[in-house]
Amino acid sequence: VTDRLDYQADGAGYLRGIRKHLFVLDVATKACRQVTRGDWHAGDPSWSPDGTKLAFAAATAADADLTYRAPLYVVDASSEAAEPEPAGLADGVGGAITWNADGSALVAVGWAGGPVGHAGLHRVPLGGGEPTDLAAPLDRNVMQGGAGYPGGPPQRSTGNTIVFCARDRGCTSLYAVDG
């Protein structure tokens, strides 16, 4: 019996009640602690520059299989009882994430609205404010990488420079932008 559209995945088969969540491992004590919980999948995380928080995208809405939205969240990874806090792209779709140099904003591949058109590279201020598509002038898809897809997640380089991949005429190239 299925009651959701995402009951199976290519390469994984039937998902049943299996969900992808975030865990933190204390290397010194070897203690493993679950950070996220719920009937949803947590996206790949990114550590804050100070190493205390994790940012990730997740489609947490009850109807996420019908109306796909994957907002960004931040959770305090050092706390036992921390709950993920919404961080941005509430009506959008986030993918691969990195932080800017001072930890005041997230930079995420995705869409500010529904997943239509080219995936952008959105700078999302954590203190509030509208996201800015840093790759908007390219008129190309930002490629976050994945199985069967070229590219790679955006990465912080020296200073506040963010490097990312975008596809142009069948080739994936590396670009840089001030984050």
Side-chain angles (χ1 to χ4, degrees):
V1 174
T2 63
D3 59 359
R4 296 182 70 141
L5 292 176
D6 62 351
Y7 68 95
Q8 72 175 1
D10 291 344
Y14 293 109
L15 298 177
R16 297 177 190 86
I18 298 170
R19 297 290 180 244
K20 177 182 168 187
H21 283 288
L22 305 181
F23 293 77
V24 173
L25 173 68
D26 184 323
V27 177
T29 66
K30 299 192 179 11
C32 187
R33 181 173 41 85
Q34 188 171 351
V35 179
T36 61
R37 292 173 171 71
D39 189 19
W40 44 269
H41 299 283
D44 293 339
S46 177
W47 284 100
S48 63
D50 65 4
T52 62
K53 297 176 183 163
L54 287 169
F56 62 96
T60 60
D63 67 344
D65 54 334
L66 299 175
T67 307
Y68 189 66
R69 298 290 182 260
L72 305 179
Y73 293 89
V74 172
V75 65
D76 183 353
S78 63
S79 172
E80 293 287 331
E83 289 292 322
E85 298 289 329
L89 299 183
D91 295 322
V93 178
I97 303 172
T98 192
W99 295 71
N100 71 342
D102 65 5
S104 65
L106 300 174
V107 179
V109 176
W111 296 265
V116 176
H118 295 299
L121 184 70
H122 298 277
R123 182 186 183 282
V124 180
L126 292 176
E130 291 298 313
T132 304
D133 186 355
L134 301 174
L138 283 178
D139 189 27
R140 298 288 183 263
N141 242 352
V142 174
M143 303 297 290
Q144 66 183 356
Y149 293 95
Q155 298 290 317
R156 191 169 15 111
S157 183
T158 57
N160 222 14
T161 301
I162 305 290
V163 293
F164 65 97
C165 296
R167 171 115 7 118
D168 184 28
R169 298 180 184 179
C171 297
T172 300
S173 301
L174 190 62
Y175 293 82
V177 67
D178 182 14

